[in-house]
Amino acid sequence: MLPRYQRITRSGEFSAVLRGGRGVSRRAGGPLVVVHRRDFEATESSEPTRSPRVGFVVSKAVGNSVVRHRVTRQLRALMASRMESLPAGAGIVVRAQPDAASADFGHLSTELDRCLDKVAGE
């Protein structure tokens, strides 16, 4: 489970990461997930340590409630183990694609790593 200070919970923060706004915004996607990244400035961050924060978007296109929650739990577990490697002040939103519902944990992990590497390297 991610602590509250590492989660994006407000709609304004989701919008800022997904739609860009001020600052540098990056996006990388594949058949299973799309990863959006935006680096927040110190004034925009609610946490004084500016730790990286992550949010998840899993729409009804992925599946019913049971499937959506399973995909969210898998993505949350994958991101929890990767939080230390993210830069301070980074806002990450992971958006699941419909094919994520039928993907196994290993493929989801590989795809997430590939997308995270892309948004970090740009």
Side-chain angles (χ1 to χ4, degrees):
M1 184 70 167
L2 293 170
R4 182 166 177 81
Y5 68 90
Q6 288 185 335
R7 293 182 300 201
I8 296 176
T9 56
R10 296 186 178 108
S11 66
E13 292 174 334
F14 273 99
S15 295
V17 175
L18 292 172
R19 291 182 178 80
R22 280 188 357 207
V24 177
S25 182
R26 300 173 189 101
R27 180 180 72 185
L32 303 178
V33 294
V34 177
V35 176
H36 300 263
R37 176 181 168 192
R38 179 167 181 250
D39 295 331
F40 287 102
E41 298 173 9
T43 57
E44 296 175 283
S45 176
S46 58
E47 179 65 26
T49 60
R50 295 185 49 223
S51 67
R53 292 176 293 157
V54 64
F56 304 96
V57 176
V58 184
S59 73
K60 288 184 179 181
V62 174
N64 64 19
S65 176
V66 174
V67 173
R68 291 193 313 267
H69 286 287
R70 180 177 46 81
V71 170
T72 304
R73 283 192 307 272
Q74 289 176 338
L75 290 172
R76 191 183 307 123
L78 289 169
M79 285 304 296
S81 64
R82 291 159 174 79
M83 290 301 286
E84 293 177 3
S85 65
L86 298 175
I92 305 283
V93 172
V94 180
R95 185 167 45 92
Q97 300 284 60
D99 288 342
S102 59
D104 66 355
F105 195 75
H107 286 110
L108 204 56
S109 176
T110 303
E111 183 74 17
L112 183 64
D113 285 338
R114 188 186 65 74
C115 291
L116 284 172
D117 288 344
K118 266 186 142 177
V119 296
E122 289 181 2

